[in-house]
Amino acid sequence: MATSSRSLADDIRGRSDAELIDLVLARPDLARPAPADLTSLAARAGTRASVQRAVEALDRGHLQVLEAVVVAGDAAERSTLLHLLGTDDAATVDAIVQDLWQSALLWRGADGDHVVRTVPEVLGTAVAGLGAPMRELRPSSLPEHADPDHIRAAVAEAPDDSRAMLERMTWGPAFGVLPTATPGRTTARWLLEHHLLVPVSTDRVALPREVGLVLRQGRLHRSAELTAPDIEARPVSLVDAAAGGAASECLTHLDELAATWGAEPPRVLRAGGLSVRDLRVTQMALDLDPEHTAFVVELAYAAGLVADDGEVVPVWAPTSEIDEWSSSEAGHRWSTLAVAWLGSTRAPHLVGRRSTGTGPANALGPDVQWPAIRAIRREVLRELASLEPGHAADHTSLRERLAWRRPNRSAAVLDEAVEAVLRESEWLGVTGRGALSEAGRALVAPLLPPPAPPVRGGGASKAGVANTSNGRRPARGRGDRANGSAADITSNGQTSAEPGAVAEAVAAAMSAHLPSPVDHILVQADLTAVAPGPLVGGLGSFMRLAADVESRGGATVYRFTPESVRRALDAGWTAADFTETVRRSSRTPVPQPLEYLVADVARKHGQTRIGGAAAYIRSDDEAVLDTMLASRDLTPLRLRRLAPTVLVSSADPRVLVELLRDNGFAPVHEGQDGAVVHAETPRRRAGARRRGPGPMVSPVDRPYTQSLVDGLRAAEATADQRRVEDETRPGPRIQAMDPVVTLSLLRDAVADRHGVWIGYSDGHGATSRHLIHPQKVEGGRVRATDESGHEKSFSVHRITGATLES
């Protein structure tokens, strides 16, 4: 690196290839799109948007040191920084300053470190809660008003009430409102008269930075937090078993959601999303709490298993992809869900919370979209992966560490999001009993930074050192996080690892811990059946149809009821087939109460048949029809007897079936040929969500960055050669200029009939010099005669600069 840099551009041009690679890896946004040369790279690194992104990515230690450099001023001594930070750990401060220089938030001149111009703009005027300097607040102030000794003397003489007012403003905010009461105004007047406060408006005052530093005893922060706090961890057992059980339950919930929405898909709200009522119905069907239900629904949507079907009256329905997914091996099914959850930008925990609109956020609605949740998920899982296997993190210490990692985020919002991620990872099976499972580690592995080659010593590793007590591995420094963030930049939000390979590894890791599917149940005398594990496909479908789920856990308990048996009979099962299927699938004898229940429901089932005449009701039992006619609850049907065994109604046959069943009858639907119409479970399917290949974007990893730096070096060498050639060429030096300025100069040359030297870029990017006499400027082109007298046309957008012929 050159020691005589005069600007950020000089500093970056003087860096070695390894240092340039570190810069781009620390700030991947500088590589998109690829800069033309090192000067363009430096210009982009100094823009406000790029600097703001870099500052927002700083942890608390790096942010504190950067604030100290800003307050200390350019080329400050290291002892000044240590005093402002209130620490004597010079090695850690030096390592962090090196990181800030590596990230191009600082540049080094012959006299020391300088802050990039836009950094103070991004940090704002209230750096670390301090106010603006005295000279900015009051340009007419005397130098002694900012002298620390003078300020200490004034503070020592301050009355008690004035000193109390200063203490309230010491650690920020540095602005206050003048009291309206007379005593308060008297107190503030004393501080104003002694220049300890400066008025900024008629009713507001500010505490100058120099006064704030004196009140803080020269310290910028209450305490220096240069290294990450440790995560307290506790050992837990049976992690993978617990994760496998949770994963199996999650797959069951997805199957039940598909069955429920396939039969009765809920409507899509006009503004998008799922209504509160439909979410509650789904909650009752899945027998989960509201938060867990919202998670299952959002997980299915993220995995592409449910979608808006796009019809005139749109509904949320399973997609065609769910059929292939349901028939896959359990490990691959879970892998699809886990990868989708990790890459999703939707936050299920926001469902039901007050949104920016007029009401709460709806599941599957636009208000649940929150891109920051994906980064938070990854940060939480990275921290869990840094613990020894089989160790669960204490939630409080984990939140404190993540708050240290991202000090610019709202603490309340971050805490809520972290708790939601931990809760969702348990529901999904990424963690078990609070510790990362084997499958979870396979899922997180691509997010972890690879070991960096030994480019330079020192650096962020010193700043991020943490002990290995409580089952904790050494903490990672900022350089590791930068490399990790670089690996995250791909076209689909995944890491640079091959998605297919990641999914296979995750599936293999989880398959070993998922409960094996069972092909039998245990029927008991109380009309319940116990499934000792996840049921195989056909038996699972039969049990969901013929019985109601009573409880879940390691084993699922089903209960046979008259309604569930009738549901199976409506779907075309006969009493004999029903009983035989239960007998064949049960390891215990079929109890008599179940046989009696099936026989009784079958005996009543279909005694009354309904068809459409508009609709007719016929029954061999005249007493049943008499009861229907006498029922007040059936009056809206306007039943009328045509014959002793036949009634008619203007209602739809399906409405008749539902209302009669609600009033205790057991009719079946009869077709035009007199045969019973079996109520097959409908299978509504939405069209598959269109998933194009997306833009092909190379990850900003080390190989790509090496190639980029090689190209920048080549471009810089070409630029140096051009500068040498320009010095030997006739004519003035042509400076690059804005196209608007170029057009104005060319139009003036046309009016004055004056010659112009232009720099012109060809299709390969090479720039040549031409002396032309412009004749006309229109349509983005310049018609002119060159030095040989030939008339030519030049594209204005290829003219890099112009200057009048002397």
Side-chain angles (χ1 to χ4, degrees):
M1 182 197 69
T3 58
S4 58
S5 300
R6 296 172 297 175
S7 64
L8 176 62
D10 283 347
D11 182 289
I12 288 180
R13 280 194 292 266
R15 299 192 183 196
S16 66
D17 286 0
E19 290 167 341
L20 290 174
I21 290 174
D22 287 341
L23 167 60
V24 178
L25 289 177
R27 294 174 62 177
D29 61 294
L30 299 181
R32 291 286 184 259
D37 51 30
L38 292 178
T39 302
S40 300
L41 179 68
R44 189 177 301 172
T47 60
R48 181 183 178 92
S50 182
V51 169
Q52 183 164 359
R53 185 172 181 177
V55 170
E56 288 177 351
L58 294 178
D59 57 43
R60 185 167 293 148
H62 288 76
L63 183 60
Q64 286 188 349
V65 173
L66 181 62
E67 290 174 337
V69 175
V70 171
V71 172
D74 289 337
E77 297 289 339
R78 191 67 80 239
S79 58
T80 304
L81 295 183
L82 294 175
H83 180 68
L84 284 171
L85 293 168
T87 181
D88 56 0
D89 190 354
T92 299
V93 173
D94 288 342
I96 294 178
V97 170
Q98 178 71 11
D99 282 343
L100 296 174
W101 172 81
Q102 171 190 305
S103 301
L105 295 175
L106 303 178
W107 61 273
R108 287 176 179 161
D111 55 347
D113 296 324
H114 298 256
V115 179
V116 173
R117 176 182 53 82
T118 48
V119 168
E121 299 176 9
V122 170
L123 293 179
T125 56
V127 179
L130 290 173
M134 177 74 76
R135 179 65 65 178
E136 293 184 12
L137 293 174
R138 179 182 289 174
S140 61
S141 63
L142 300 177
E144 64 180 24
H145 296 161
D147 181 66
D149 294 332
H150 176 82
I151 295 173
R152 290 190 191 95
V155 171
E157 298 175 359
D160 293 341
D161 52 355
S162 298
R163 189 172 301 174
M165 182 176 290
L166 289 176
E167 289 175 355
R168 288 195 295 270
M169 301 177 68
T170 297
W171 295 102
F175 293 91
V177 179
L178 286 173
T180 56
T182 302
R185 285 193 171 273
T186 303
T187 301
R189 186 180 300 112
W190 190 95
L191 296 172
L192 292 170
E193 291 172 352
H194 289 77
H195 310 289
L196 298 179
L197 292 180
V198 175
V200 293
S201 66
T202 57
D203 61 343
R204 293 176 63 84
V205 293
L207 185 72
R209 179 173 297 178
E210 295 84 356
V211 178
L213 284 173
V214 169
L215 294 173
R216 297 182 183 188
Q217 305 298 321
R219 292 182 290 113
L220 198 58
H221 308 93
R222 292 181 185 269
S223 61
E225 301 178 62
L226 304 183
T227 57
D230 293 337
I231 297 179
E232 298 180 7
R234 68 184 190 283
V236 292
S237 58
L238 303 175
V239 173
D240 290 321
S248 179
E249 286 190 17
C250 185
L251 294 177
T252 301
H253 296 326
L254 266 294
D255 287 336
E256 293 178 352
L257 178 70
T260 301
W261 283 14
E264 298 181 10
R267 291 276 297 273
V268 178
L269 294 177
R270 182 177 301 176
L274 183 69
S275 69
V276 175
R277 176 185 175 277
D278 288 329
L279 182 63
R280 189 177 299 113
V281 171
T282 305
Q283 173 192 342
M284 296 175 63
L286 301 182
D287 192 22
L288 299 173
D289 56 67
E291 292 80 9
H292 200 165
T293 304
F295 168 72
V296 172
V297 169
E298 288 287 347
L299 180 63
Y301 179 73
L305 303 181
V306 298
D308 178 347
D309 67 352
E311 298 293 338
V312 176
V313 181
V315 296
W316 294 108
T319 66
S320 57
E321 297 178 11
I322 202 168
D323 298 315
E324 180 181 355
W325 177 82
S326 298
S327 61
S328 301
E329 189 267 333
H332 288 87
R333 297 173 67 200
W334 184 85
S335 174
T336 300
L337 300 179
V339 172
W341 173 75
L342 184 62
S344 174
T345 56
R346 299 185 63 80
H349 72 280
L350 297 180
V351 173
R353 306 294 176 85
R354 182 66 58 177
S355 65
T356 55
T358 57
N362 294 97
L364 304 179
D367 293 327
V368 184
Q369 185 76 12
W370 187 35
I373 192 63
R374 180 168 63 185
I376 295 174
R377 279 196 201 106
R378 297 182 176 194
E379 289 174 6
V380 170
L381 295 182
R382 285 192 193 108
E383 296 297 344
L384 294 180
S386 70
L387 301 176
E388 294 290 343
H391 284 73
D394 173 70
H395 289 196
T396 301
S397 62
L398 177 61
R399 290 196 302 268
E400 291 174 352
R401 187 176 180 88
L402 290 171
W404 183 89
R405 290 286 188 199
R406 292 291 183 266
N408 291 314
R409 286 181 179 153
S410 167
V413 173
L414 181 62
D415 288 351
E416 182 184 25
V418 170
E419 286 298 326
V421 170
L422 293 173
R423 186 168 60 247
E424 292 171 8
S425 63
E426 282 286 323
W427 288 337
L428 184 56
V430 174
T431 59
R433 305 186 66 189
L436 204 61
S437 64
E438 180 184 351
R441 291 185 179 276
L443 181 67
V444 181
L447 303 180
L448 302 179
V455 176
R456 59 178 176 81
S461 59
K462 295 181 181 179
V465 172
N467 61 44
T468 57
S469 61
N470 298 327
R472 178 158 186 82
R473 292 176 176 172
R476 303 185 304 280
R478 184 180 179 277
D480 293 333
R481 292 188 295 104
N483 291 340
S485 63
D488 292 347
I489 299 182
T490 58
S491 60
N492 59 357
Q494 295 297 322
T495 64
S496 56
E498 188 67 29
V502 174
E504 286 294 331
V506 172
M510 178 53 77
S511 295
H513 305 290
L514 284 170
S516 301
V518 297
D519 59 356
H520 64 275
I521 56 176
L522 305 174
V523 182
Q524 303 180 96
D526 60 350
L527 297 180
T528 60
V530 178
L535 298 174
V536 294
L539 181 56
S541 299
F542 171 75
M543 291 302 296
R544 282 194 294 270
L545 176 67
D548 298 325
V549 176
E550 191 165 84
S551 65
R552 296 186 178 88
T556 303
V557 178
Y558 295 90
R559 177 170 293 279
F560 295 101
T561 64
E563 290 76 15
S564 67
V565 173
R566 191 197 70 229
R567 192 166 61 230
L569 297 179
D570 286 344
W573 290 77
T574 65
D577 291 340
F578 187 105
T579 306
E580 180 59 28
T581 300
V582 174
R583 179 177 291 108
R584 187 173 59 250
S585 304
S586 177
R587 293 288 178 87
T588 58
V590 178
Q592 278 190 339
L594 179 58
E595 293 182 339
Y596 291 159
L597 173 65
V598 175
D600 185 58
V601 174
R603 179 177 56 82
K604 297 179 180 179
H605 187 263
Q607 285 184 349
T608 304
R609 300 193 176 193
I610 297 176
Y616 64 85
I617 305 173
R618 69 180 182 87
S619 176
D620 295 333
D621 190 346
E622 298 182 15
V624 173
L625 299 184
D626 293 336
T627 304
M628 292 182 184
L629 289 171
S631 174
R632 291 185 177 180
D633 294 333
L634 299 180
T635 301
L637 296 179
R638 297 183 179 179
L639 298 176
R640 184 166 58 91
R641 190 189 293 270
L642 290 183
T645 58
V646 179
L647 301 180
V648 294
S649 172
S650 59
D652 186 87
R654 290 172 296 181
V655 176
L656 281 176
V657 171
E658 294 297 329
L659 288 180
L660 291 177
R661 285 176 178 174
D662 291 343
N663 284 272
F665 300 95
V668 294
H669 194 179
E670 188 176 80
Q672 294 181 356
D673 58 355
V676 175
V677 177
H678 296 298
E680 295 184 3
T681 302
R683 299 179 63 192
R684 183 71 173 265
R685 292 290 182 265
R689 289 166 60 184
R690 296 181 179 178
R691 296 184 178 182
M696 298 300 295
V697 181
S698 302
V700 184
D701 53 12
R702 190 167 290 274
Y704 172 84
T705 307
Q706 180 67 63
S707 175
L708 175 66
V709 170
D710 291 343
L712 294 176
R713 286 295 187 199
E716 194 69 17
T718 302
D720 291 341
Q721 183 179 357
R722 289 172 185 163
R723 282 192 288 269
V724 172
E725 293 175 352
D726 286 343
E727 293 176 357
T728 62
R729 290 180 179 178
R733 183 177 180 183
I734 302 174
Q735 296 283 351
M737 60 179 57
D738 188 274
V740 176
V741 179
T742 302
L743 280 173
S744 176
L745 188 147
L746 292 172
R747 290 191 178 101
D748 292 341
V750 171
D752 299 336
R753 298 183 179 181
H754 206 291
V756 179
W757 284 96
I758 63 171
Y760 195 73
S761 176
D762 61 17
H764 301 286
T767 303
S768 57
R769 297 158 58 97
H770 300 271
L771 175 61
I772 64 172
H773 290 80
Q775 305 296 323
K776 184 183 295 186
V777 179
E778 64 179 1
R781 303 188 68 83
V782 180
R783 299 188 64 83
T785 56
D786 60 9
E787 298 171 87
S788 60
H790 295 92
E791 186 172 316
K792 291 185 177 181
S793 177
F794 299 88
S795 297
V796 173
H797 71 276
R798 291 186 179 275
I799 299 178
T800 60
T803 184
L804 294 174
E805 181 185 19
S806 56

